[in-house]
Amino acid sequence: MDPPTPKRKSKHLSRDQRLQIQSLYKAGLELKQIHDHLGFSYRQIWHTCHASRPTPKKRSGRPLTLSDEQVDEIEIFIISKRSHRLLSYEKLA
């Protein structure tokens, strides 16, 4: 076997890393063996092995602060006059 790879700084595994973990698990390696071989945390390996698909769900991110109607209203205001297009962000607020 190859020497263990150094620990990674990223909290989230890439799709290729998740596929590699799932392949090793399906080949019969135990979670501890995968951890020793790849260097990922035990929890990352456990979640990946018990996930139904290799690609994780997209994270929702920060929620929008303006509704679609408010964004449309601001766009209409800005394009209505040339002087509105030249306003700074501070004056638009």
Side-chain angles (χ1 to χ4, degrees):
M1 278 194 167
D2 298 332
T5 56
K7 296 219 180 224
R8 289 151 174 86
K9 291 183 180 181
S10 175
K11 289 193 263 182
H12 304 286
L13 299 175
S14 70
R15 182 178 183 276
D16 291 339
Q17 292 167 334
R18 293 171 71 82
L19 281 170
Q20 185 180 21
I21 290 170
Q22 286 184 342
S23 298
L24 291 172
Y25 185 70
K26 288 178 182 176
L29 270 72
E30 295 180 6
L31 300 181
K32 175 72 173 133
Q33 292 172 318
I34 297 171
H35 166 73
D36 293 340
H37 181 69
L38 298 177
F40 299 119
S41 76
Y42 183 81
R43 294 288 290 172
Q44 287 175 316
I45 295 169
W46 188 90
H47 281 289
T48 302
C49 291
H50 293 88
S52 59
R53 58 188 183 154
T55 306
K57 290 182 183 178
K58 184 177 178 182
R59 289 171 283 192
S60 63
R62 184 176 182 171
L64 299 175
T65 55
L66 297 175
S67 67
D68 290 339
E69 293 81 23
Q70 291 171 322
V71 171
D72 292 340
E73 184 180 333
I74 291 171
E75 287 176 353
I76 290 170
F77 173 78
I78 291 172
I79 63 172
S80 66
K81 289 186 181 178
R82 179 174 167 77
S83 60
H84 292 170
R85 284 180 258 159
L86 300 174
L87 293 174
S88 67
Y89 289 118
E90 184 179 337
K91 290 181 180 177
L92 274 175

